[in-house]
Amino acid sequence: MSALAEHVHLADSPAPAAGELRLRLLEPHDSRRWDAYVDQCPQATFFHRAGWQRVLRQAFGHRTWFYYVERGGVIEGILPLGEVRSRVFGHWLGALPFCVYGGIAASSDAARAMLDQAAQALARQLGVGHLEYRHIARSHPGDPEWLVKPLYVTFRKAIVADDEQNMNAIPRKQRAMVRKGIKFGLQGEVDQDVGRFYAAYARSVHRLGTPVFSRRYFALLKETFGDDCEVRVITHNGELVAGVLSFFFRDQVLPYYGGGLDNARALAGNDFMYWNLMQASAARGMRVFDFGRSKLGTGAFDFKKNWGFEPEPLDYEVKLIGATAVPENNPLNPKYRLFIRMWQRLPLPVANMLGPHIVKNLG
């Protein structure tokens, strides 16, 4: 069922009695109301913002259903959903592809239940393999129909306005790496376009054997979220070393995509980059540094722990619809080892050309 057909179905529903809940689909004129709700709902995250609908549609061509529930014109809950359909990686519906957090954000149990029922009905209508909610904490505890993917953790830590306190909160060995970057004279700069960041990010993921997103995707993030999406690069004597694209939400900074060139390791470029971002964010008034999602047993997991951040499990929930098992589309799956080694051997320009056609189906 298309988004238009689903909207017609909802719009043609009998008008609710006064005080009853009504399920709606996000339209462009509703975006401000939607985002105002996201700003004040404790369960909502940056990845619940309305702009993700535009990003998913324009960057990847994925269909979306951004449901909300209102009562008397007042929103009581939201659920942004995106559909990914791939012959290789499967067919699924989730909240939200390419986002580390998601799921239902609601102010009442009734709104939550209505959104949950709508998502499950849509998943069945679309014939997907599974429905996935990327809640930080489980929303269906004890329900055997909802399975948990114990693969990811997130890392979040409080920061303060004082640089010295933030520096002293970093464990000694990691603090030494930050000071190494400072000693080399590394500098942080904020760009208004994604060009230099993309060069560093693309080289970094290629070393890992991971397909890269398109440059257009990052440009769309910057265009869509404006000042709440920052592109920061690290330089050494004017030469690019590393780059990070970060989101700002309430009092939180979320470094979301980052990477370095081949010179980054010797210069402690990535270590300095996150310290430089932490400094600038604290000065901007941010009080939570969200280092984001990592897979258990990876180098990224170890790197974040070295900063003194404690892992917090992400209990993503999956309900099987047409599939018989939870898919394992991640680099830790042994069946992808050969692909990773082959990808690392590709010339970087070739990898950058082919990568976006593959990664758009991963989510």
Side-chain angles (χ1 to χ4, degrees), residues 13 21 57 73 80 87 121 141 152 188 204 253 269 271 294 303 311 316 360:
S13 302
L21 290 175
R57 288 177 175 177
R87 292 181 179 178
Y152 297 106
S204 183
V253 56
D271 307 275
S294 289
F303 178 78
Y316 290 178
K360 73 176 184 178

Side-chain angles (χ1 to χ4, degrees), residues 47-354:
F47 305 100
H48 286 87
R49 291 187 57 176
W52 286 100
Q53 185 173 64
R54 177 195 181 206
V55 171
L56 291 180
R57 288 177 175 177
Q58 295 188 15
F60 307 114
H62 295 323
R63 296 196 298 175
T64 62
W65 291 261
F66 276 43
Y67 286 121
Y68 69 94
V69 168
E70 66 178 0
R71 190 195 308 264
V74 178
I75 295 178
E76 288 193 18
I78 60 171
L79 175 58
L81 293 164
E83 178 192 20
V84 177
R85 181 190 293 267
S86 168
R87 292 181 179 178
V88 177
F89 301 112
H91 181 200
W92 62 283
L93 180 71
L96 195 62
F98 306 100
C99 297
V100 298
Y101 308 139
I104 300 169
S107 309
S108 68
D109 290 340
R112 178 177 298 278
M114 181 174 283
L115 290 165
D116 195 16
Q117 291 167 10
Q120 293 185 49
L122 178 62
R124 290 190 292 269
Q125 290 166 8
L126 295 173
V128 300
H130 71 277
L131 170 65
E132 180 171 331
Y133 291 156
R134 294 183 175 176
H135 288 296
I136 296 176
R138 295 195 67 174
S139 61
H140 300 86
D143 187 338
E145 292 190 356
W146 286 89
L147 310 176
V148 175
K149 295 173 66 175
L151 178 64
Y152 297 106
V153 298
T154 191
F155 292 85
R156 294 181 293 182
K157 188 175 182 179
I159 57 176
V160 298
D162 184 83
D163 284 349
E164 184 176 359
Q165 288 188 48
N166 290 328
M167 178 69 83
N168 289 335
I170 302 171
R172 181 178 57 82
K173 289 185 178 180
Q174 183 58 48
R175 190 163 64 241
M177 293 299 295
V178 172
R179 294 195 187 281
K180 180 179 178 181
I182 295 172
K183 185 176 180 180
F184 276 121
L186 300 184
Q187 297 290 322
E189 304 173 21
V190 175
D191 283 355
Q192 295 306 312
D193 63 69
V194 300
R196 291 196 294 175
F197 155 79
Y198 189 74
Y201 178 76
R203 180 68 187 101
S204 183
V205 297
H206 182 250
R207 284 198 306 271
L208 296 172
T210 304
V212 71
F213 291 103
S214 69
R215 178 169 169 164
R216 174 58 178 155
Y217 169 58
F218 296 109
L220 267 172
L221 290 174
K222 181 61 181 168
E223 291 172 14
T224 302
F225 298 115
D227 290 341
D228 291 335
C229 176
E230 181 195 82
V231 178
R232 178 174 296 267
V233 297
I234 304 302
T235 61
H236 179 244
N237 296 330
E239 297 296 323
L240 180 66
V241 176
V244 59
L245 184 146
S246 305
F247 300 131
F248 294 95
F249 180 69
R250 298 177 185 152
D251 64 345
Q252 308 161 37
V253 56
L254 300 88
Y256 204 60
Y257 296 107
L261 297 178
D262 294 341
N263 59 354
R265 180 181 291 272
L267 295 169
N270 288 317
D271 307 275
F272 176 83
M273 176 173 71
Y274 291 114
W275 167 246
N276 184 251
L277 174 64
M278 188 180 293
Q279 280 186 299
S281 301
R284 179 170 169 166
M286 301 297 107
R287 293 297 173 258
V288 176
F289 195 91
D290 188 331
F291 233 147
R293 185 181 80 178
S294 289
K295 301 178 187 71
L296 294 167
T298 63
F301 176 95
D302 294 337
F303 178 78
K304 293 171 185 179
K305 280 213 72 176
N306 289 342
W307 280 77
F309 287 64
E310 288 300 319
E312 177 185 350
L314 289 173
D315 290 334
Y316 290 178
E317 293 181 318
V318 172
K319 184 166 187 176
L320 301 180
I321 305 298
T324 57
V326 178
E328 296 293 341
N329 295 327
N330 69 82
L332 298 182
N333 190 329
K335 74 178 184 179
Y336 295 124
R337 287 175 183 169
L338 178 60
F339 172 84
I340 290 171
R341 289 197 295 268
M342 292 175 58
W343 197 265
Q344 289 170 326
R345 294 189 180 101
L346 284 178
L348 182 59
V350 176
N352 286 352
M353 178 182 66
L354 298 176

